[in-house]
Amino acid sequence: MKLSARLPGRLALMLAATVVTATACAPQTSDNSSSGKDEKTGTLRVWLFQEVNNKPKEQVVKQVLADFGKAHADTEVTVEYIPVETRAQRIKAAFNDPKSAPDVIEYGNTDTAGYVKDGGLADVTKEFEAWGEAKDTDPTARKSVTVDGKVYGAPYFVGVRALYYRTDVFGELKLRPPKTMDELAATARKVRAARHDLYGIAVGGAYTYGAMPFVWANGGRLATGEGGSYTSAIDSPEARKGIEAYTSLFGDDVCPAAKCAGMTGNDTVTAFASGKAAMAIGGDFSHQAVEAGQAKGKYAVVPLPGVKSGSVAPAFAGGNNIGVLRSTSHRTLAVDLMKRLASKKTQGEMFDAMGFLPTFADVRGQVAAKDPFVKPFVDTLAAGTEFVPASPAWAQIDSSQVLPTMFQEVVSGRKDVKAAAGEAAKKMNDAFGSVG
């Protein structure tokens, strides 16, 4: 069911609360080449992601479109909110069928390279560089829209992880938040020894982005290379040291492997929220889940510590972007709408509405001043973050569980760190090679 409302400038906003998933297969005779047109009137189609509680997001978007309508008479915009889970099928189908494709889309920032390889996203480098607000975009967010030096969208929001800990348990055991990774492990063992009903820290063998800060903090990397050509580095000595640090937390003295080896990131947050763990690595986006659990009112958050005292472990900078499809026949209008949806004003309003962290450093500072909970995550971003290789192979590596398999093989004792990392590196290199 779609709702429509007449807005200034004959702008029609159509909000789809429920959508029918398009088939994954599109006609192979279609192509996603540029239309060659740049019409200044008509209808623009926008696809944004459906959130668990979507109404606040819809209200922010509605205001953006009202302002857009005032600036562009004789223009209409239809907005459809699509499920995140089926985004890959719908968006790739749209790339192959320009007649039914949107002009502007929201997409996950790890999808950028794959969508560029598919030829679906427009190169907006010139427009992005000319955008006055772009200079304040943080470097990692900018990296998430960049492939081979070209920009294919505007960062929309960012999400990072930090260390949640139980203040009541730490008070009872006279513990302080750890300042190094070694202290983290030692503190987890102290909690488990004194409170065997709790995991010292909830960790997951299938929690890639909870594990990678241990690799990055020890000087390891996922891969080396640029320009679309990458080689796995997960088997380097530095990376192996990080893998060992993370997998050492799986055991009866911290988080029993039988329980924790198969846990995902959501599972670890659930364990913490339900009162089963003294610590967990969770995101700014995990706040609502923790507040709804047994840990409510009994926790605090600090940046995940690095190897040296006072340092912060590099976190993965997740999040979403707004892009323009290459097939659009309204390029100028679509780029303007992209900028408005990803602007400082809109990102600030999205934080208030949804809790999404802005990608602009100055706007993040403003929201941190309003909400103390945000500060550890802002500090984590300020300390420096990491991102996945800008290769279309990453989607294959991620979906085939290459890294979780590596962690689980070590945790189970089937392979040592060197053998497991070597096998993971081989699988990664096969994926990198398959995309050229």
Side-chain angles (χ1 to χ4, degrees):
M1 174 179 169
K2 290 186 177 181
L3 305 177
S4 64
R6 182 66 58 184
L7 295 175
R10 294 179 56 210
L11 181 65
L13 170 61
M14 300 174 69
L15 302 176
T18 59
V19 297
V20 179
T21 302
T23 55
C25 259
Q28 294 305 307
T29 55
S30 301
D31 65 56
N32 51 15
S33 60
S34 172
S35 70
K37 299 178 181 178
D38 190 12
E39 299 169 1
K40 301 303 191 295
T41 61
T43 300
L44 275 73
R45 299 180 65 202
V46 179
W47 287 0
L48 301 176
F49 290 157
Q50 176 86 35
E51 309 298 337
V52 175
N53 177 14
N54 208 55
K55 289 299 180 183
K57 181 176 183 177
E58 291 176 18
Q59 290 303 311
V60 174
V61 172
K62 184 177 180 180
Q63 185 57 56
V64 172
L65 299 186
D67 293 341
F68 180 82
K70 292 175 183 177
H72 301 285
D74 300 321
T75 301
E76 294 184 350
V77 178
T78 64
V79 178
E80 189 172 348
Y81 290 91
I82 67 173
V84 176
E85 295 79 11
T86 56
R87 73 189 188 280
Q89 299 98 309
R90 292 211 67 191
I91 292 174
K92 288 194 176 185
F95 291 166
N96 288 329
D97 187 11
K99 291 182 180 179
S100 65
D103 300 273
V104 178
I105 60 169
E106 177 180 357
Y107 66 93
N109 63 10
T110 59
D111 295 329
T112 307
Y115 290 170
V116 170
K117 184 178 186 298
D118 291 339
L121 293 176
D123 175 358
V124 294
T125 306
K126 290 182 180 178
E127 294 95 332
F128 189 83
E129 296 292 357
W131 185 25
E133 295 187 355
K135 68 182 187 307
D136 294 324
T137 300
D138 77 48
T140 305
R142 179 176 178 126
K143 186 176 179 181
S144 79
V145 294
T146 304
V147 178
D148 296 341
K150 297 179 180 179
V151 178
Y152 292 90
Y156 190 35
F157 66 84
V158 66
V160 291
R161 293 163 176 84
L163 183 68
Y164 285 71
Y165 70 95
R166 284 276 297 275
T167 52
D168 58 334
V169 174
F170 273 55
E172 172 193 333
L173 302 179
K174 296 181 172 55
L175 299 172
R176 294 181 179 179
K179 294 185 178 180
T180 67
M181 283 192 163
D182 284 344
E183 285 185 18
L184 173 67
T187 300
R189 290 186 171 89
K190 288 178 182 176
V191 170
R192 181 70 173 171
R195 291 282 305 272
H196 209 65
D197 58 316
L198 296 174
Y199 300 145
I201 180 171
V203 286
Y207 190 8
T208 300
Y209 298 120
M212 288 313 300
F214 290 78
V215 173
W216 291 322
N218 279 279
R221 302 180 68 184
L222 279 167
T224 58
E226 57 184 20
S229 178
Y230 289 90
T231 302
S232 176
I234 200 65
D235 59 343
S236 71
E238 296 84 1
R240 293 201 305 266
K241 190 173 182 180
I243 295 167
E244 185 174 354
Y246 185 68
T247 55
S248 72
L249 300 173
F250 292 79
D252 289 342
D253 59 342
V254 178
C255 197
K259 298 279 189 181
C260 304
M263 285 168 58
T264 63
N266 284 344
D267 293 333
T268 65
V269 172
T270 298
F272 182 84
S274 63
K276 295 179 181 178
M279 292 184 284
I281 299 167
D284 54 282
F285 41 84
S286 305
H287 190 202
Q288 186 175 3
V290 176
E291 280 290 298
Q294 296 297 315
K296 180 177 181 178
K298 298 181 289 188
Y299 72 95
V301 184
V302 293
L304 182 69
V307 173
K308 296 181 179 179
S309 182
S311 67
V312 176
F316 166 69
N320 289 353
N321 301 327
I322 300 289
V324 172
L325 263 65
R326 188 180 172 198
S327 60
T328 182
S329 59
H330 298 87
R331 181 186 172 100
T332 298
L333 290 172
V335 170
D336 182 46
L337 184 53
M338 174 194 79
K339 291 178 182 178
R340 290 171 184 268
L341 286 167
S343 70
K344 290 185 177 183
K345 179 177 182 292
T346 304
Q347 288 194 22
E349 291 171 351
M350 273 297 180
F351 172 80
D352 292 336
M354 303 296 298
F356 296 160
L357 279 179
T359 63
F360 298 104
D362 54 342
V363 182
R364 278 207 300 266
Q366 294 165 14
V367 301
K370 292 192 295 185
D371 187 349
F373 169 79
V374 175
K375 188 176 187 304
F377 301 99
V378 172
D379 290 346
T380 297
L381 285 162
T385 53
E386 291 286 345
F387 196 61
V388 300
S391 167
W394 180 253
Q396 178 183 337
I397 293 167
D398 195 31
S399 64
S400 52
Q401 300 284 295
V402 172
L403 297 181
T405 298
M406 174 188 71
F407 293 124
Q408 290 166 344
E409 286 181 336
V410 175
V411 169
S412 68
R414 292 195 298 271
K415 292 181 181 178
D416 61 20
V417 171
K418 185 174 182 180
E423 180 63 21
K426 181 180 182 303
K427 292 177 181 176
M428 291 176 70
N429 285 331
D430 286 347
F432 288 136
S434 71
V435 298

